[in-house]
Amino acid sequence: MSDSRGTDTRGIVVGRPAVAGDPSTPRVPATAWGAARSLPIRVLALFGLLGFAASAIGSWIPSLWGDEAASIMSAERSWASLLPMLGTVDAVHGLYYALLHVWIDLFGASTFSVRLPSAIAIGIATAGVALLGTKLAGRTVGIIAAAMFIVLPRVTYMGEEARSYALTIALVVWLTVAFIALASSREKRVMPWVAFGALFAFACVLFIYTSLFVLVYAVIAWNMRADRPTLWRAGIALGSGGVIALPVIVISYLERNQIAFLASRSNNNPTGLFVSPWFDNLTLAILSWTLIVAGIVIGIAVTVRQCRGLTTPSKLVALYRPAARRLPSLLVVASAWLFIPGVLLWIGDRVTPLYSPRYLSSTSPAIVILVAIGIVAIARTVRAKWLVPILAVAVIAASLPTWYGQRGPYAKNGGTDWGTVAAAIEKRAAPGEAVVFDDNTRPSRKPRLALRLYPEAFTKLDDVGLITPFDETDGLWDVVVPAADSPALVDDYHTVWVVLATPSFTNAPESQAKVLPAFEEAGFTISDEVHLHRTVLYKMTRGQQ
């Protein structure tokens, strides 16, 4: 959009080249992406640092949980043990396990260490959000979107979790940046497109639902009115990436029964579709969706007015139409990014279990961008600049209680307390005693995972119920003797620690109820018990040997 003097709303002269020494015509790069105003590198780095810090601070406090146990235990396997496991289960996470394997070899498997790559990824993603928003809709949108992204509940949750979602978020952000940069400049060189295709393949292998972004990029290319050669190059790059990732996608499909449990979860409701994927609290969700709807409605109104030749404030037009030629509308980019993966997963979930709110983590950048557009659109429509900081601060403030809650010791899924279990055992147990773990929960909630995740706390104890360690199987978990049958294994022990899940955590209360009586029949009595958040420790002793 340009005014009568031939200058667009961001001060870039259109229609004639830059002239050296002429202050009215700044130096404009040749490509459309390069022509768009950006943020200084130091500002992008600052946003990246803030994004990293918000996720990393306190990440060592919450106990590790079942999905993280799968990550860490798989990554701690030898390469010879990991590959057969992936042929049976969790091929969809295989690349992440391999990356985490290397990371643990270098930096260890402490809670902070295994979650640190996710925090780093969120920092990288934050810088990308700031860059993308600024390039396509101006600095105000870029800065607000990045600031909200830093504290968005889904982002800060994944930024402190040893899973692949944070890395996927970062990859999707920069894939989108790269796609727009290449397509808008009509890049003809082969290697940039090869690099883009390789990065897309990597992202698809890391998280197979990234393959849905083929349709997102198709919509973006349509909005950019990309020429036919560019469409061919983009199609070949995306198609090649998909072909490279295809074996993992096929194996993951064959292992789909491992997510069959999603069918029993009630995520297909307003909370599961519009709150849980990004916000975690209703106040933030209502505020954000209100701003998103406002931004979309104003954008449609602006488009209609322009089509009818009606006068529209130039700053409002600039929000929805980039000044640099061939760049897409940020509203279109973010809308496609947010809605296409979600709608496709929702439709697919009608056929077979596919959907969990966390699977939309990679759309988190899109939702903050849409909120930022809504904030700026409202302020420019009513011509009240002061609304921008007020609305932005309101969104950020609504996010902060969730950020704080995520840093509690039992903040992870289900309120696991294995870190607390490990600390209690380390403090109370003595060398030469035995430990027996409840096996009457689903595998990802079994208390014995405390031993695998915090092994240093259990070094004094004998794990008498272990039959086959997890890394000698082609599955995720240890093979063990049922807890109720364990008294036969402790004839030589005076003290046994029995670690049971609380009733709300067990899925076989009848079997669990047999454990303590079995030890009592073997001559043990309860000499101490420690009630924790999701676990109870029983110290069972009997007469002197």
Side-chain angles (χ1 to χ4, degrees):
M1 182 70 182
S2 61
D3 60 21
S4 59
R5 295 172 297 176
T7 305
D8 76 0
T9 57
R10 302 178 195 179
I12 299 175
V13 176
V14 296
R16 60 189 179 91
V19 178
D22 183 350
S24 68
T25 57
R27 297 175 65 87
V28 179
T31 68
W33 178 259
R37 180 175 294 182
S38 183
L39 290 169
I41 295 297
R42 63 181 182 277
V43 175
L44 295 176
L46 176 60
F47 272 114
L49 181 61
L50 291 173
F52 162 76
S55 289
I57 292 172
S59 62
W60 58 87
I61 298 173
S63 173
L64 295 161
W65 72 291
D67 279 16
E68 291 181 300
S71 294
I72 295 165
M73 293 167 65
S74 298
E76 288 181 328
R77 290 171 176 260
S78 67
W79 293 112
S81 173
L82 178 60
L83 293 177
M85 186 206 83
L86 295 178
T88 303
V89 65
D90 264 7
V92 67
H93 300 298
L95 177 56
Y96 177 72
Y97 293 163
L99 296 173
L100 190 60
H101 178 102
V102 175
W103 179 271
I104 288 175
D105 281 349
L106 294 173
F107 303 107
S110 70
T111 302
F112 177 73
S113 174
V114 295
R115 288 172 171 168
L116 186 59
S118 293
I120 295 172
I122 293 303
I124 294 171
T126 304
V129 170
L131 177 64
L132 184 64
T134 300
K135 283 282 191 179
L136 299 186
R139 291 180 178 177
T140 302
V141 171
I143 289 171
I144 293 174
M148 293 187 298
F149 180 79
I150 289 170
V151 294
L152 186 71
R154 177 57 64 185
V155 170
T156 54
Y157 187 92
M158 292 310 179
E160 60 157 9
E161 182 162 286
R163 296 296 274 176
S164 64
Y165 300 103
L167 278 68
T168 303
I169 293 171
L171 284 168
V172 167
V173 169
W174 286 98
L175 276 168
T176 304
V177 168
F179 180 80
I180 294 172
L182 291 173
S184 66
S185 63
R186 297 180 178 175
E187 180 62 63
K188 297 180 180 179
R189 292 173 296 172
V190 173
M191 289 311 298
W193 286 108
V194 169
F196 173 78
L199 189 63
F200 181 72
F202 184 90
C204 290
V205 174
L206 186 67
F207 185 62
I208 58 173
Y209 288 168
T210 308
S211 58
L212 300 176
F213 277 78
V214 169
L215 296 179
V216 175
Y217 296 142
V219 171
I220 293 173
W222 165 80
N223 184 247
M224 297 169 68
R225 298 182 181 179
D227 62 355
R228 184 170 296 180
T230 298
L231 292 175
W232 272 105
R233 295 182 190 105
I236 292 171
L238 291 167
S240 300
V243 169
I244 293 171
L246 187 60
V248 173
I249 295 174
V250 171
I251 295 173
S252 300
Y253 174 78
L254 296 175
E255 296 177 357
R256 67 191 181 282
N257 285 338
Q258 73 181 83
I259 61 170
F261 67 89
L262 293 176
S264 64
R265 296 190 177 179
S266 55
N267 290 317
N268 288 302
N269 53 56
T271 298
L273 295 172
F274 299 103
V275 180
S276 300
W278 310 280
F279 304 116
D280 197 53
N281 77 72
L282 188 58
T283 300
L284 176 61
I286 292 173
L287 176 59
S288 298
W289 280 112
T290 300
L291 293 168
I292 289 171
V293 170
I296 293 174
V297 169
I298 294 171
I300 293 172
V302 167
T303 302
V304 170
R305 289 182 64 85
Q306 286 194 298
C307 290
R308 293 179 176 179
L310 301 175
T311 303
T312 307
S314 59
K315 288 187 177 181
L316 197 55
V317 173
L319 178 63
Y320 295 101
R321 177 178 295 181
R325 295 178 60 192
R326 298 201 300 267
L327 287 180
S329 162
L330 185 60
L331 180 65
V332 172
V333 171
S335 296
W337 187 345
L338 176 64
F339 293 115
I340 289 176
V343 169
L344 290 177
L345 286 182
W346 184 83
I347 293 173
D349 197 62
R350 310 271 69 74
V351 179
T352 186
L354 289 176
Y355 176 70
S356 172
R358 62 178 42 234
Y359 295 165
L360 292 181
S361 297
S362 60
T363 65
S364 298
I367 207 156
V368 294
I369 288 172
L370 288 173
V371 173
I373 290 173
I375 289 173
V376 177
I378 291 171
R380 290 182 180 177
T381 299
V382 301
R383 299 184 181 182
K385 290 183 179 180
W386 51 269
L387 272 178
V388 172
I390 289 176
L391 292 174
V393 168
V395 173
I396 292 170
S399 302
L400 292 179
T402 301
W403 177 90
Y404 181 77
Q406 290 170 349
R407 269 68 193 162
Y410 314 121
K412 283 299 179 181
N413 195 303
T416 52
D417 59 356
W418 299 327
T420 308
V421 169
I425 287 288
E426 188 171 32
K427 179 180 179 181
R428 291 171 171 82
E433 297 175 345
V435 62
V436 172
F437 296 96
D438 191 354
D439 63 324
N440 296 293
T441 68
R442 66 178 187 236
S444 62
R445 288 186 171 183
K446 288 185 176 180
R448 74 173 292 107
L449 293 177
L451 179 149
R452 291 305 184 189
L453 298 175
Y454 304 93
E456 64 283 350
F458 293 85
T459 54
K460 296 178 290 187
L461 300 178
D462 295 333
D463 181 14
V464 295
L466 179 65
I467 297 176
T468 308
F470 69 94
D471 56 355
E472 294 179 11
T473 75
D474 61 358
L476 289 170
W477 316 112
D478 294 321
V479 178
V480 299
V481 174
D485 296 337
S486 297
L489 306 174
V490 294
D491 289 341
D492 297 330
Y493 293 90
H494 173 257
T495 300
V496 178
W497 289 90
V498 180
V499 184
L500 299 182
T502 57
S504 63
F505 233 41
T506 185
N507 59 356
E510 298 84 2
S511 297
Q512 188 189 59
K514 298 177 182 178
V515 176
L516 293 181
F519 278 92
E520 291 171 342
E521 290 177 8
F524 288 89
T525 58
I526 299 174
S527 60
D528 189 18
E529 57 184 271
V530 182
H531 292 260
L532 303 173
H533 186 64
R534 294 291 190 185
T535 312
V536 183
L537 311 181
Y538 294 95
K539 184 178 182 180
M540 310 290 292
T541 58
R542 62 182 169 186
Q544 295 293 324
Q545 297 173 305

